Amino acid sequence: MDADQREGAAVSAELAEFLREAAEYRPVLLAGCVCEGCGGRAFTVRVDDTEGCAGRECVRCEERAFLADSAEVWVEAEPEVAECPCGGDEFEAAVAFSLRTDGSVRWVTVGLRCLRDGAPGVYVDWKIDYAPTDHLLRAV
């Protein structure tokens, strides 16, 4: 994770505040999703809250990526396309990593802000019960 991601620079102020509130102000690192292929920041997102996983697809170039450790459970998952209550399905996406006192990741929370109406929401989250966890911080 680069310095901009640590500071949440790739996350809008609205989504960053929403994710901090959702984490009940526990220590978190915010990482905004940015397409490695084209630099796009608009995504369709598939989530499975039961298995705890999420994958994103860039609206501009259609490049796909898993969030955090989602690739490990994707085969068993039944992901569905995230949709805002307004019907929008294109989002700004970010991940909030809640941290343990030793700095390892305790919880992954995927927040989305609808690009149609601006509404933020938590679409999936899951607990991390293994170590080390440094690789999760780079998988956004």
Side-chain angles (χ1 to χ4, degrees):
M1 177 177 293
D2 64 27
D4 283 346
Q5 288 175 312
R6 274 193 286 275
E7 297 302 319
V11 183
S12 68
E14 298 86 4
L15 187 53
E17 180 62 22
F18 181 83
L19 285 168
R20 286 187 182 101
E21 287 177 17
E24 299 175 352
Y25 293 94
R26 292 183 305 268
V28 295
L29 290 177
L30 299 180
C33 295
V34 179
C35 178
E36 288 185 21
C38 72
R41 294 184 182 201
F43 302 96
T44 57
V45 181
R46 296 176 59 89
V47 298
D48 182 331
D49 199 33
T50 302
E51 292 296 327
C53 61
R56 62 175 170 82
E57 182 175 309
C58 179
V59 171
R60 187 185 309 163
C61 74
E62 300 181 351
E63 181 173 299
R64 295 180 179 180
F66 292 111
L67 302 181
D69 58 356
S70 295
E72 297 171 18
V73 298
W74 198 258
V75 174
E76 296 94 29
E78 295 181 22
E80 296 181 8
V81 174
E83 188 173 294
C84 178
C86 79
D89 65 354
E90 295 182 1
F91 299 92
E92 168 195 5
V95 179
F97 297 101
S98 296
L99 305 177
R100 293 183 177 90
T101 55
D102 68 0
S104 64
V105 176
R106 176 178 179 261
W107 204 265
V108 174
T109 302
V110 177
L112 305 177
R113 187 179 63 84
C114 179
L115 297 180
R116 181 184 291 177
D117 71 358
V122 169
Y123 282 75
V124 64
D125 59 358
W126 61 93
K127 186 175 183 178
I128 302 298
D129 58 2
Y130 60 85
T133 61
D134 292 346
H135 69 286
L136 299 175
L137 303 175
R138 294 181 296 277
V140 295

